[in-house]
Amino acid sequence: MLKLSKLADYATVLMTLVAREPQRLHSGLELAERSRLPAPTVAKLLKSLARGGLLQSLRGAHGGYRLARAPEHISVADIIAALEGPIGVTECATHPGGCTLESGCSTRANWRLINVAIRQALEAVSLAQMAAPPPAGRDGEFPLTFHRPQALASSQNPA
């Protein structure tokens, strides 16, 4: 099964909460209460997101966290990468040379294609979209369209 870590999921929850009020400072304790996540986990995630350049941290009695840039300019891929590093479904997709089978692997190119598609899908969804309420009556459908690369489409449909 391919799935995100809990920490990446929780980081997305926190970023979504901050994005709903992007100009306001948010304390770690407030975000822990609103998200119902443990305060130590929230503190750890906020530090990682700040190190990743997605949040600004302001110290002091009236300090807290706010977005480092507009929610329209932060993607879900940015959030995941801040927590987990480069997005990759296989080791060779992000770290060439890390697999002993790599030189003779017949699926490597396809895994890299899949990796690009997943990364592009995550890059296509902004934090602003995540923070917005879902469109009424769409029943889980969202206006996100993916197109097969022309070379792949033509190789599978010879004329």
Side-chain angles (χ1 to χ4, degrees), residues 63-132:
Y65 293 88
R66 68 175 168 218
L67 295 179
R69 53 188 191 264
E72 295 82 12
H73 299 290
I74 298 173
S75 71
V76 172
D78 294 330
I79 298 167
I80 295 167
L83 271 285
E84 299 184 356
I87 295 167
V89 294
T90 61
E91 187 69 25
C92 66
T94 55
H95 303 292
C99 176
T100 59
L101 302 176
E102 193 172 313
S103 63
C105 182
S106 61
T107 61
R108 181 172 182 237
N110 291 325
W111 278 119
R112 292 180 80 191
L113 178 65
I114 292 165
N115 194 70
V116 167
I118 291 170
R119 190 179 69 246
Q120 287 176 343
L122 295 170
E123 288 171 348
V125 180
S126 73
L127 182 57
Q129 290 170 297
M130 293 292 288

Side-chain angles (χ1 to χ4, degrees), residues 129 132-143:
Q129 290 170 297
R138 295 302 298 250
D139 200 24
E141 292 183 29
F142 296 94

